[in-house]
Amino acid sequence: MTSTHAFWLAGRQATGETTFDVTSPWDGRLVGTVAVPTDAQVEEAVAAAHAVVDEFAATPAHVRAAALDHVSRRLVERTEEIAQLISAENGKPVKWARGEVGRAISVFRFAAEEARRFNGGEAQRLDTDAGGQGRLALTRRFPKGVVLGIAPFNFPLNLCAHKIAPAIAVGAPIILKPAPATPLSGLILGELLAETDLPAGSWSVLTVPNDKMPALVQDERLPVISFTGSDKVGYAIMDSVPRKHCTLELGGNGAAVVLADFASEEDLDWAATRIATFSNYQGGQSCISVQRVIADASVYDRLLPRIVAAVEAQHTGDPSDPTTDVGPLVSEDAARRVESWVDEAVEAGAQLLTGGKRDGASYAPTVLTGVPAHATLACEEVFGPVLTVQSVDGEAEAFAAVNNSKYGLQAGVFTHDLQTAFRAHRALEVGGVIVGDVPSYRADQMPYGGAKQSGVGREGVRFAMDDYTYERVLVLTGLAL
């Protein structure tokens, strides 16, 4: 790892007048020093992206696909280096960081494939009425303009990939702002993009501080905003620019439902293991981590001790250790917030079954029952390694409990019954229902996003490509159809 990192301005490296340090949340060591763009440099990047809109949209598909394929291959070659970097700046256990690099590899590969087949056009006969005789409509999609991609800290490589790759695939210039806590992974993508033949102004990676973002958000030359982060910030962005197209991937408090038919010893062992793993992976810092377990009363007493045992089996510690399951949170402040929410719930009557202890930025994997409905822990996204478990009577009560939330990102339903699966798909107010597993499952090519206060729009390569473009119809006249 180098100690000083330039940002990427219209395809070239640049440094500004100031820097900031990136430190490890595990041990506080310096991971890197990052240059900050000046206001003039930000303006240069925006102007360059705006100037290249038409040129980039007209770039042949094979050129864009080749660039995306190149990034995917280079990520493969540098997997271990990048995984170590993610672990260092984010505190993510290296085994999960390797998985994140693998997902980013797939995102760029999927985008290359989609770029080659995107915009084949859809032909529609218009002579279904007399006034359309001899006419044919051809509908294609075209970029809405420059994309401003704002990425979070929790998946510092893959969620940058989910902004950049679809934009390149459709020929939309992009300005990426990585999270200030974890900018180094996004800057790596700049290194790889610089090795391609994409037009220079078609991409920038700017390490802009958060307090400089309102001006970028308001800039009329950036008509598309793709934001991943908190609901508070996301909706503030949307409210401030009501005429822009905003894709918001926001928070959740993911529920895993275990129904009465999922009752064998093997079923309950599987459910408990998956719940324990995915309430704690990434330190619980995932929008679709398991925060709530809603178990049918008929299996609750057998499931609960299994969950507690599986949570206690999670190996916590140094994220660079390949055996570590749970590392620190992104900062000590984040861990203190989680601690305060758990303490509040316990004071309100919740029962702490395991965990509940903080050590610096680390918070022990935690399980509680009896959390009052009004407690912050029950209402908000904890974004930490904390799990609540409750008992319900039957499917209807279970589904009502899932929906009793302002969030609606994804839900998991452990059942073997196909009819129940389809009822869950209809009843649950979420963007995705995962049957037979936790809500934390995500394939990077599938549509991903939420309902209610979990956001608007969808990520997933092809679906983001649709979000970044609009339909334009061409009507041909005087044809012998």
Side-chain angles (χ1 to χ4, degrees), residues 149-370:
I150 307 171
F153 71 81
N154 56 328
F155 289 86
L157 180 75
N158 195 41
L159 292 184
C160 288
H162 271 285
K163 310 300 182 192
I164 292 174
I168 292 173
V170 301
I174 181 162
I175 293 175
L176 176 75
K177 178 203 174 297
T182 56
L184 303 179
S185 303
L187 293 174
I188 286 281
L189 292 178
E191 289 184 36
L192 306 185
L193 288 169
E195 298 169 355
T196 72
D197 295 326
L198 294 175
S202 62
W203 61 273
S204 294
V205 182
L206 301 181
T207 47
V208 180
N210 289 341
D211 62 4
K212 295 288 187 180
M213 283 309 298
L216 269 176
V217 166
Q218 292 288 336
D219 197 305
E220 293 183 357
R221 295 167 294 178
L222 308 176
V224 180
I225 297 174
S226 178
F227 171 84
T228 302
S230 73
D231 57 330
K232 180 180 178 181
V233 175
Y235 285 116
I237 289 173
M238 176 176 278
D239 290 345
S240 73
V241 285
R243 290 182 176 83
K244 290 195 178 191
H245 179 89
C246 294
T247 298
L248 306 179
E249 198 281 280
L250 307 177
N253 54 4
V257 176
V258 185
L259 293 175
D261 70 300
F262 213 82
S264 73
E265 300 298 306
E266 294 79 7
D267 285 344
L268 296 179
D269 286 343
W270 163 257
T273 299
R274 297 294 285 177
I275 287 165
T277 298
F278 288 96
S279 65
N280 293 292
Y281 86 125
Q282 327 288 339
Q285 297 169 121
S286 168
C287 299
I288 46 176
S289 66
V290 186
Q291 182 172 332
R292 298 181 291 154
V293 176
I294 299 164
D296 190 90
S298 65
V299 298
Y300 177 85
D301 288 338
R302 294 163 59 213
L303 177 65
L304 182 59
R306 284 176 161 88
I307 291 174
V308 173
V311 168
E312 290 177 340
Q314 295 285 300
H315 180 198
T316 63
D318 185 345
S320 66
D321 183 340
T323 67
T324 294
D325 300 308
V326 187
L329 276 68
V330 72
S331 68
E332 190 165 348
D333 283 346
R336 286 197 188 98
R337 179 190 54 76
V338 173
E339 179 182 42
S340 70
W341 287 14
V342 172
D343 290 349
E344 175 198 59
V346 172
E347 289 170 6
Q351 182 182 3
L352 179 67
L353 301 183
T354 190
K357 297 179 180 178
R358 182 181 65 84
D359 181 8
S362 296
Y363 196 79
T366 298
V367 180
L368 304 100
T369 59

Side-chain angles (χ1 to χ4, degrees), residues 450-473:
K452 299 191 281 191
Q453 292 189 35
S454 286
V456 294
R458 291 296 181 266
E459 288 191 340
V461 175
R462 182 173 67 82
F463 304 92
M465 291 166 69
D466 286 345
D467 255 2
Y468 293 172
T469 56
Y470 70 99
E471 293 176 321
R472 186 187 298 166
V473 65

Side-chain angles (χ1 to χ4, degrees), residues 15 80 119 128 135 140 198-199 275 291 329:
T15 57
E80 187 59 26
N119 228 351
T128 49
R135 296 177 187 264
R140 297 163 63 200
L198 294 175
I275 287 165
Q291 182 172 332
L329 276 68

